[in-house]
Amino acid sequence: MRNIIRILFLVIPIISFSQKISLVLDDSLVHIILSTHNKYRAEVGVENLVWSDSLALEAQDWANKLTKQKCKIKHSYKKGIGENIFWSSSSLNPKIAVDSWAGEKKYYKYGKCCNNKTLHYTQIIWGKTKKVGCTKSICKDGAEIWICNYSPQGNYIGEKPFKKQ
């Protein structure tokens, strides 16, 4: 009996932790984020991104820190992780954030990286990037910060974002 109780004490925290992961963003928002990213990736012929809870949790950690710092936008510069950040004065659908980053496509000309006007877009379409995890944080004034983290990161100087087919 004591062993069963000990096992329950070990299992309950694991179950609680796994539930927290699913609360970063609900499934409908994850679907919107993935489908919007993958639409732009399909346009250049690179494979779809898959969702990463661990990247979403890292993004949430950074978003929480930014919220505590009066929502001033700055990059986390975590080694090996690409990052796109979007600020909105009010609540929005995450498709707007991803579309905004991808809007830099108009400045993009296929070639070696990097043009400062296209870094958000090239991170979205970076062919070697396989996973994305995103989140949002709400500022005291109702503004939102959306962050997407990417792995492996893109935007390596001198590399092409993808191979043309």
Side-chain angles (χ1 to χ4, degrees):
M1 183 68 166
R2 282 186 171 182
N3 287 338
I4 293 172
I5 293 171
R6 285 182 186 156
I7 291 170
L8 285 175
F9 282 121
L10 292 174
V11 172
I12 290 170
I14 293 168
I15 292 169
S16 297
F17 180 72
S18 66
Q19 289 173 341
K20 287 181 183 175
I21 290 174
S22 67
L23 292 177
V24 173
L25 289 177
D26 68 36
D27 290 345
S28 65
L29 293 176
V30 169
H31 175 74
I32 290 167
I33 291 166
L34 276 176
S35 62
T36 308
H37 273 85
N38 290 332
K39 175 186 85 163
Y40 293 109
R41 292 175 67 82
E43 290 175 357
V44 298
V46 296
E47 70 183 67
N48 285 346
L49 294 173
V50 296
W51 186 260
S52 166
D53 283 332
S54 62
L55 289 172
L57 286 170
E58 287 212 36
Q60 186 66 60
D61 181 54
W62 186 244
N64 291 344
K65 288 177 182 171
L66 293 178
T67 301
K68 289 177 185 173
Q69 297 172 2
K70 299 182 182 180
C71 289
K72 293 184 180 174
I73 304 305
K74 61 183 176 181
H75 286 282
S76 65
Y77 297 106
K78 289 193 177 183
K79 187 174 182 174
I81 296 177
E83 182 179 69
N84 282 340
I85 301 177
F86 185 88
W87 179 90
S88 172
S89 62
S90 61
S91 181
L92 59 82
N93 181 312
K95 182 181 184 311
I96 293 170
V98 180
D99 285 343
S100 174
W101 297 324
E104 296 173 354
K105 177 182 177 179
K106 63 186 170 200
Y107 304 112
Y108 179 71
K109 182 178 176 186
Y110 183 76
K112 293 184 178 175
C113 187
C114 290
N115 170 342
N116 284 337
K117 290 183 179 181
T118 64
L119 292 173
H120 297 100
Y121 173 66
T122 51
Q123 178 58 78
I124 289 171
I125 62 164
W126 200 264
K128 293 178 183 174
T129 298
K130 305 298 180 203
K131 299 185 281 186
V132 65
C134 306
T135 194
K136 74 173 179 178
S137 186
I138 301 172
C139 306
K140 287 181 182 177
D141 63 0
E144 289 183 349
I145 298 172
W146 283 88
I147 299 176
C148 286
N149 282 347
Y150 304 84
S151 179
Q153 78 181 68
N155 293 333
Y156 286 99
I157 295 171
E159 286 188 27
K160 293 181 179 177
F162 59 92
K163 293 180 183 177
K164 267 193 171 179
Q165 297 178 355

PDB file of all heavy atoms in Angstrom, residues 93-112:
ATOM      1  N   ASN A  93      -5.702  37.800 -33.578  1.00  0.00           N
ATOM      2  CA  ASN A  93      -5.536  36.443 -34.050  1.00  0.00           C
ATOM      3  C   ASN A  93      -4.058  36.279 -34.415  1.00  0.00           C
ATOM      4  O   ASN A  93      -3.493  37.161 -35.073  1.00  0.00           O
ATOM      5  CB  ASN A  93      -6.435  36.265 -35.279  1.00  0.00           C
ATOM      6  CG  ASN A  93      -6.386  34.890 -35.866  1.00  0.00           C
ATOM      7  OD1 ASN A  93      -5.319  34.332 -36.093  1.00  0.00           O
ATOM      8  ND2 ASN A  93      -7.564  34.358 -36.152  1.00  0.00           N
ATOM      9  N   PRO A  94      -3.401  35.179 -34.032  1.00  0.00           N
ATOM     10  CA  PRO A  94      -1.971  35.042 -34.322  1.00  0.00           C
ATOM     11  C   PRO A  94      -1.642  35.024 -35.812  1.00  0.00           C
ATOM     12  O   PRO A  94      -0.505  35.285 -36.203  1.00  0.00           O
ATOM     13  CB  PRO A  94      -1.580  33.724 -33.652  1.00  0.00           C
ATOM     14  CG  PRO A  94      -2.856  32.977 -33.499  1.00  0.00           C
ATOM     15  CD  PRO A  94      -3.917  34.013 -33.309  1.00  0.00           C
ATOM     16  N   LYS A  95      -2.616  34.758 -36.656  1.00  0.00           N
ATOM     17  CA  LYS A  95      -2.393  34.799 -38.107  1.00  0.00           C
ATOM     18  C   LYS A  95      -1.904  36.181 -38.523  1.00  0.00           C
ATOM     19  O   LYS A  95      -1.056  36.322 -39.406  1.00  0.00           O
ATOM     20  CB  LYS A  95      -3.676  34.430 -38.857  1.00  0.00           C
ATOM     21  CG  LYS A  95      -3.522  34.388 -40.365  1.00  0.00           C
ATOM     22  CD  LYS A  95      -4.834  34.038 -41.036  1.00  0.00           C
ATOM     23  CE  LYS A  95      -4.706  33.880 -42.529  1.00  0.00           C
ATOM     24  NZ  LYS A  95      -4.019  34.935 -43.226  1.00  0.00           N
ATOM     25  N   ILE A  96      -2.396  37.208 -37.862  1.00  0.00           N
ATOM     26  CA  ILE A  96      -1.986  38.586 -38.178  1.00  0.00           C
ATOM     27  C   ILE A  96      -0.495  38.766 -37.898  1.00  0.00           C
ATOM     28  O   ILE A  96       0.217  39.379 -38.697  1.00  0.00           O
ATOM     29  CB  ILE A  96      -2.840  39.597 -37.389  1.00  0.00           C
ATOM     30  CG1 ILE A  96      -4.293  39.548 -37.872  1.00  0.00           C
ATOM     31  CG2 ILE A  96      -2.273  41.010 -37.510  1.00  0.00           C
ATOM     32  CD1 ILE A  96      -5.271  40.316 -37.014  1.00  0.00           C
ATOM     33  N   ALA A  97      -0.012  38.221 -36.793  1.00  0.00           N
ATOM     34  CA  ALA A  97       1.418  38.325 -36.471  1.00  0.00           C
ATOM     35  C   ALA A  97       2.255  37.602 -37.513  1.00  0.00           C
ATOM     36  O   ALA A  97       3.228  38.156 -38.044  1.00  0.00           O
ATOM     37  CB  ALA A  97       1.689  37.768 -35.078  1.00  0.00           C
ATOM     38  N   VAL A  98       1.893  36.366 -37.838  1.00  0.00           N
ATOM     39  CA  VAL A  98       2.668  35.583 -38.805  1.00  0.00           C
ATOM     40  C   VAL A  98       2.598  36.235 -40.182  1.00  0.00           C
ATOM     41  O   VAL A  98       3.620  36.351 -40.879  1.00  0.00           O
ATOM     42  CB  VAL A  98       2.196  34.112 -38.851  1.00  0.00           C
ATOM     43  CG1 VAL A  98       3.012  33.316 -39.875  1.00  0.00           C
ATOM     44  CG2 VAL A  98       2.304  33.459 -37.467  1.00  0.00           C
ATOM     45  N   ASP A  99       1.418  36.692 -40.575  1.00  0.00           N
ATOM     46  CA  ASP A  99       1.283  37.386 -41.873  1.00  0.00           C
ATOM     47  C   ASP A  99       2.127  38.657 -41.914  1.00  0.00           C
ATOM     48  O   ASP A  99       2.690  39.007 -42.956  1.00  0.00           O
ATOM     49  CB  ASP A  99      -0.177  37.734 -42.163  1.00  0.00           C
ATOM     50  CG  ASP A  99      -1.018  36.539 -42.586  1.00  0.00           C
ATOM     51  OD1 ASP A  99      -0.444  35.498 -42.981  1.00  0.00           O
ATOM     52  OD2 ASP A  99      -2.256  36.643 -42.515  1.00  0.00           O
ATOM     53  N   SER A 100       2.227  39.346 -40.797  1.00  0.00           N
ATOM     54  CA  SER A 100       3.041  40.560 -40.736  1.00  0.00           C
ATOM     55  C   SER A 100       4.515  40.228 -40.966  1.00  0.00           C
ATOM     56  O   SER A 100       5.193  40.895 -41.746  1.00  0.00           O
ATOM     57  CB  SER A 100       2.856  41.251 -39.386  1.00  0.00           C
ATOM     58  OG  SER A 100       3.731  42.339 -39.264  1.00  0.00           O
ATOM     59  N   TRP A 101       5.004  39.191 -40.284  1.00  0.00           N
ATOM     60  CA  TRP A 101       6.399  38.780 -40.496  1.00  0.00           C
ATOM     61  C   TRP A 101       6.624  38.365 -41.940  1.00  0.00           C
ATOM     62  O   TRP A 101       7.611  38.745 -42.564  1.00  0.00           O
ATOM     63  CB  TRP A 101       6.763  37.621 -39.571  1.00  0.00           C
ATOM     64  CG  TRP A 101       6.704  37.938 -38.108  1.00  0.00           C
ATOM     65  CD1 TRP A 101       7.036  39.122 -37.509  1.00  0.00           C
ATOM     66  CD2 TRP A 101       6.301  37.064 -37.053  1.00  0.00           C
ATOM     67  NE1 TRP A 101       6.863  39.034 -36.159  1.00  0.00           N
ATOM     68  CE2 TRP A 101       6.415  37.782 -35.843  1.00  0.00           C
ATOM     69  CE3 TRP A 101       5.860  35.750 -37.008  1.00  0.00           C
ATOM     70  CZ2 TRP A 101       6.109  37.215 -34.609  1.00  0.00           C
ATOM     71  CZ3 TRP A 101       5.550  35.182 -35.781  1.00  0.00           C
ATOM     72  CH2 TRP A 101       5.670  35.915 -34.595  1.00  0.00           C
ATOM     73  N   ALA A 102       5.670  37.599 -42.475  1.00  0.00           N
ATOM     74  CA  ALA A 102       5.796  37.114 -43.851  1.00  0.00           C
ATOM     75  C   ALA A 102       5.617  38.245 -44.859  1.00  0.00           C
ATOM     76  O   ALA A 102       6.034  38.110 -46.012  1.00  0.00           O
ATOM     77  CB  ALA A 102       4.781  36.005 -44.108  1.00  0.00           C
ATOM     78  N   GLY A 103       5.052  39.346 -44.432  1.00  0.00           N
ATOM     79  CA  GLY A 103       4.885  40.503 -45.320  1.00  0.00           C
ATOM     80  C   GLY A 103       6.216  41.059 -45.808  1.00  0.00           C
ATOM     81  O   GLY A 103       6.266  41.810 -46.791  1.00  0.00           O
ATOM     82  N   GLU A 104       7.292  40.677 -45.148  1.00  0.00           N
ATOM     83  CA  GLU A 104       8.630  41.102 -45.583  1.00  0.00           C
ATOM     84  C   GLU A 104       9.040  40.420 -46.885  1.00  0.00           C
ATOM     85  O   GLU A 104      10.050  40.780 -47.487  1.00  0.00           O
ATOM     86  CB  GLU A 104       9.662  40.794 -44.495  1.00  0.00           C
ATOM     87  CG  GLU A 104       9.433  41.558 -43.217  1.00  0.00           C
ATOM     88  CD  GLU A 104      10.353  41.122 -42.083  1.00  0.00           C
ATOM     89  OE1 GLU A 104      11.112  40.126 -42.257  1.00  0.00           O
ATOM     90  OE2 GLU A 104      10.315  41.759 -41.027  1.00  0.00           O
ATOM     91  N   LYS A 105       8.239  39.453 -47.323  1.00  0.00           N
ATOM     92  CA  LYS A 105       8.518  38.734 -48.573  1.00  0.00           C
ATOM     93  C   LYS A 105       8.720  39.705 -49.738  1.00  0.00           C
ATOM     94  O   LYS A 105       9.534  39.461 -50.619  1.00  0.00           O
ATOM     95  CB  LYS A 105       7.365  37.777 -48.869  1.00  0.00           C
ATOM     96  CG  LYS A 105       7.479  37.029 -50.165  1.00  0.00           C
ATOM     97  CD  LYS A 105       6.263  36.159 -50.371  1.00  0.00           C
ATOM     98  CE  LYS A 105       6.338  35.453 -51.706  1.00  0.00           C
ATOM     99  NZ  LYS A 105       5.170  34.589 -51.909  1.00  0.00           N
ATOM    100  N   LYS A 106       7.996  40.812 -49.727  1.00  0.00           N
ATOM    101  CA  LYS A 106       8.102  41.779 -50.826  1.00  0.00           C
ATOM    102  C   LYS A 106       9.503  42.376 -50.951  1.00  0.00           C
ATOM    103  O   LYS A 106       9.876  42.878 -51.995  1.00  0.00           O
ATOM    104  CB  LYS A 106       7.048  42.875 -50.679  1.00  0.00           C
ATOM    105  CG  LYS A 106       7.196  43.732 -49.437  1.00  0.00           C
ATOM    106  CD  LYS A 106       6.038  44.702 -49.294  1.00  0.00           C
ATOM    107  CE  LYS A 106       6.078  45.364 -47.940  1.00  0.00           C
ATOM    108  NZ  LYS A 106       4.812  45.929 -47.549  1.00  0.00           N
ATOM    109  N   TYR A 107      10.293  42.317 -49.895  1.00  0.00           N
ATOM    110  CA  TYR A 107      11.662  42.830 -49.922  1.00  0.00           C
ATOM    111  C   TYR A 107      12.694  41.730 -50.191  1.00  0.00           C
ATOM    112  O   TYR A 107      13.880  42.005 -50.294  1.00  0.00           O
ATOM    113  CB  TYR A 107      12.016  43.497 -48.587  1.00  0.00           C
ATOM    114  CG  TYR A 107      11.077  44.603 -48.196  1.00  0.00           C
ATOM    115  CD1 TYR A 107      10.239  44.459 -47.097  1.00  0.00           C
ATOM    116  CD2 TYR A 107      11.018  45.784 -48.932  1.00  0.00           C
ATOM    117  CE1 TYR A 107       9.366  45.476 -46.732  1.00  0.00           C
ATOM    118  CE2 TYR A 107      10.149  46.806 -48.569  1.00  0.00           C
ATOM    119  CZ  TYR A 107       9.327  46.640 -47.473  1.00  0.00           C
ATOM    120  OH  TYR A 107       8.461  47.635 -47.110  1.00  0.00           O
ATOM    121  N   TYR A 108      12.221  40.500 -50.258  1.00  0.00           N
ATOM    122  CA  TYR A 108      13.132  39.361 -50.366  1.00  0.00           C
ATOM    123  C   TYR A 108      13.421  39.016 -51.823  1.00  0.00           C
ATOM    124  O   TYR A 108      12.524  38.884 -52.637  1.00  0.00           O
ATOM    125  CB  TYR A 108      12.550  38.138 -49.662  1.00  0.00           C
ATOM    126  CG  TYR A 108      13.444  36.929 -49.771  1.00  0.00           C
ATOM    127  CD1 TYR A 108      14.635  36.878 -49.068  1.00  0.00           C
ATOM    128  CD2 TYR A 108      13.113  35.872 -50.593  1.00  0.00           C
ATOM    129  CE1 TYR A 108      15.478  35.786 -49.174  1.00  0.00           C
ATOM    130  CE2 TYR A 108      13.944  34.774 -50.705  1.00  0.00           C
ATOM    131  CZ  TYR A 108      15.127  34.746 -49.995  1.00  0.00           C
ATOM    132  OH  TYR A 108      15.961  33.669 -50.114  1.00  0.00           O
ATOM    133  N   LYS A 109      14.695  38.846 -52.109  1.00  0.00           N
ATOM    134  CA  LYS A 109      15.158  38.363 -53.407  1.00  0.00           C
ATOM    135  C   LYS A 109      16.003  37.135 -53.115  1.00  0.00           C
ATOM    136  O   LYS A 109      16.947  37.206 -52.312  1.00  0.00           O
ATOM    137  CB  LYS A 109      15.981  39.438 -54.119  1.00  0.00           C
ATOM    138  CG  LYS A 109      16.451  39.033 -55.480  1.00  0.00           C
ATOM    139  CD  LYS A 109      17.210  40.164 -56.141  1.00  0.00           C
ATOM    140  CE  LYS A 109      17.762  39.673 -57.473  1.00  0.00           C
ATOM    141  NZ  LYS A 109      18.621  40.675 -58.091  1.00  0.00           N
ATOM    142  N   TYR A 110      15.665  36.013 -53.744  1.00  0.00           N
ATOM    143  CA  TYR A 110      16.360  34.761 -53.440  1.00  0.00           C
ATOM    144  C   TYR A 110      17.867  34.938 -53.531  1.00  0.00           C
ATOM    145  O   TYR A 110      18.386  35.491 -54.487  1.00  0.00           O
ATOM    146  CB  TYR A 110      15.914  33.639 -54.372  1.00  0.00           C
ATOM    147  CG  TYR A 110      16.571  32.323 -54.038  1.00  0.00           C
ATOM    148  CD1 TYR A 110      16.151  31.592 -52.943  1.00  0.00           C
ATOM    149  CD2 TYR A 110      17.634  31.850 -54.784  1.00  0.00           C
ATOM    150  CE1 TYR A 110      16.763  30.394 -52.602  1.00  0.00           C
ATOM    151  CE2 TYR A 110      18.254  30.642 -54.456  1.00  0.00           C
ATOM    152  CZ  TYR A 110      17.815  29.925 -53.365  1.00  0.00           C
ATOM    153  OH  TYR A 110      18.435  28.749 -53.026  1.00  0.00           O
ATOM    154  N   GLY A 111      18.550  34.490 -52.510  1.00  0.00           N
ATOM    155  CA  GLY A 111      20.001  34.552 -52.455  1.00  0.00           C
ATOM    156  C   GLY A 111      20.481  34.292 -51.047  1.00  0.00           C
ATOM    157  O   GLY A 111      19.738  33.817 -50.188  1.00  0.00           O
ATOM    158  N   LYS A 112      21.706  34.642 -50.819  1.00  0.00           N
ATOM    159  CA  LYS A 112      22.304  34.394 -49.502  1.00  0.00           C
ATOM    160  C   LYS A 112      21.733  35.338 -48.459  1.00  0.00           C
ATOM    161  O   LYS A 112      21.371  36.471 -48.746  1.00  0.00           O
ATOM    162  CB  LYS A 112      23.822  34.522 -49.592  1.00  0.00           C
ATOM    163  CG  LYS A 112      24.438  33.424 -50.446  1.00  0.00           C
ATOM    164  CD  LYS A 112      25.924  33.484 -50.472  1.00  0.00           C
ATOM    165  CE  LYS A 112      26.452  32.316 -51.304  1.00  0.00           C
ATOM    166  NZ  LYS A 112      27.871  32.354 -51.488  1.00  0.00           N
TER     167      LYS A 112
END
